Amino acid sequence: MRIRIVDAFTDRPFAGNPAGVLLLDSDAFPDDAWLQRVATEMNLSETAFAHPLPPGGDADWALRWFTPAAEVAMCGHATLAAAHVLRSTGAATGTVRFAALCGILTTTARDDGTFTLDFPTAPLTEVPVPDGVADALGADVLSAHDTGPHIGDLLVELADERTVRALTPDCPALVAHSRRGIIATAAAEDPSSSGYDFVSRCFFPQLGIDEDPVTGSAHTALAPFWSARLRRDELTGLQASARSGLVATSLRGDRTLLTGGAVTVVDGELLA
């Protein structure tokens, strides 16, 4: 079987977020334990597994995502990576519908080589700042928001971009504060010259990922959060990890559109 590594939410290799992609020619997924072993072997934030579905249904492909430690209900960058592989191999063109744990997701190939993902908007609920989260992050927290069932993160607003970039969190101490991870965010220091409106960093020690390079699913929460504050539905976020990546967001009520590019960096054969 062919297995690929695709850098997502970037237009150049060795940036953005790498995802494994395995397209299956079967009509069902292999055993869950095998899927998990492959994802653990890949040791990337997520590995996407997809198989084609019969024509005439609600979706074209079934899609699942595994981190090195667990299956997740929603993943943006690995969905983008899967769409990129489908297009680059000729397996699919235009708009592709995926059946996933979080519902039907669509990806649309654009003329400039990027893809737009249609994902459910995270329902934000402001909550008291949990005791200990500021100490674990190493920064004061201005506000905290639960992001709902699909992603299960705690979104925390920090004072400014410099604070987000300077974080050196105690990742084991963050585990107690959310179901999946922590999204730390602040407004961009100079959006007119930088080309982005807000910054973020994402920490998922619960899933075996201390820091995720660029997290598409987190932007389904960041989009409504910053659209409400900046009073615009079209925004661009920079995830300020060491690899970094840009995610263009467009808020459409209960759906959020995420746009970015992808580059294949490894194309190999899975022998096991």
Side-chain angles (χ1 to χ4, degrees):
M1 290 178 285
R2 298 280 289 280
I3 193 162
R4 298 165 174 88
I5 298 176
V6 176
D7 289 344
F9 291 115
T10 184
D11 59 1
R12 65 188 189 277
F14 315 123
N17 199 352
V21 179
L22 183 60
L23 301 182
L24 305 162
D25 56 12
S26 60
D27 58 2
F29 288 108
D31 180 80
D32 286 5
W34 184 86
L35 297 173
Q36 185 62 71
R37 286 196 294 270
V38 172
T40 302
E41 185 76 8
M42 294 295 286
N43 199 32
L44 301 169
S45 295
E46 269 88 10
T47 296
F49 301 89
H51 70 75
L53 294 172
D58 293 334
D60 309 301
W61 289 76
L63 180 63
R64 295 172 72 181
W65 314 274
F66 286 77
T67 77
E71 185 173 12
V72 295
M74 180 189 290
C75 179
H77 87 280
T79 303
L80 172 55
H84 170 79
V85 171
L86 287 171
R87 183 171 71 172
S88 63
T89 60
T93 58
T95 296
V96 179
R97 301 167 301 165
F98 293 103
L101 286 175
C102 58
I104 302 298
L105 310 174
T106 64
T107 64
T108 302
R110 297 160 58 96
D111 292 340
D112 62 0
T114 63
F115 294 82
T116 294
L117 287 59
D118 185 333
F119 272 44
T121 300
L124 298 181
T125 303
E126 187 164 6
V127 296
V129 178
D131 292 339
V133 71
D135 289 338
L137 282 171
D140 291 336
V141 175
L142 302 183
S143 65
H145 298 257
D146 182 85
T147 58
H150 290 316
I151 59 177
D153 295 331
L154 181 71
L155 186 153
V156 295
E157 182 184 9
L158 305 186
D160 51 35
E161 178 175 342
R162 293 182 183 181
T163 301
V164 173
R165 288 182 176 274
L167 290 175
T168 56
D170 178 352
C171 286
L174 292 176
V175 171
H177 298 298
S178 72
R179 295 185 300 280
R180 186 180 77 160
I182 303 292
I183 307 167
T185 188
E189 184 175 327
D190 186 7
S192 60
S193 63
S194 66
Y196 52 87
D197 301 289
F198 59 88
V199 297
S200 66
R201 289 176 66 190
C202 294
F203 307 100
F204 304 124
Q206 293 94 323
L207 301 178
I209 307 162
D210 280 351
E211 181 168 7
D212 196 38
V214 189
T215 313
S217 59
H219 284 76
T220 67
L222 290 162
F225 181 85
W226 287 111
S227 290
R229 282 155 177 74
L230 301 177
R231 301 185 182 277
R232 286 187 289 120
D233 290 337
E234 313 284 334
L235 300 170
T236 298
L238 172 73
Q239 195 152 329
S241 66
R243 292 174 64 99
S244 81
L246 291 170
V247 183
T249 67
S250 180
L251 188 62
R252 297 289 184 268
D254 64 353
R255 307 295 294 185
T256 294
L257 306 183
L258 311 172
T259 298
V263 180
T264 300
V265 293
V266 174
D267 186 344
E269 186 176 1
L270 180 65
L271 300 177

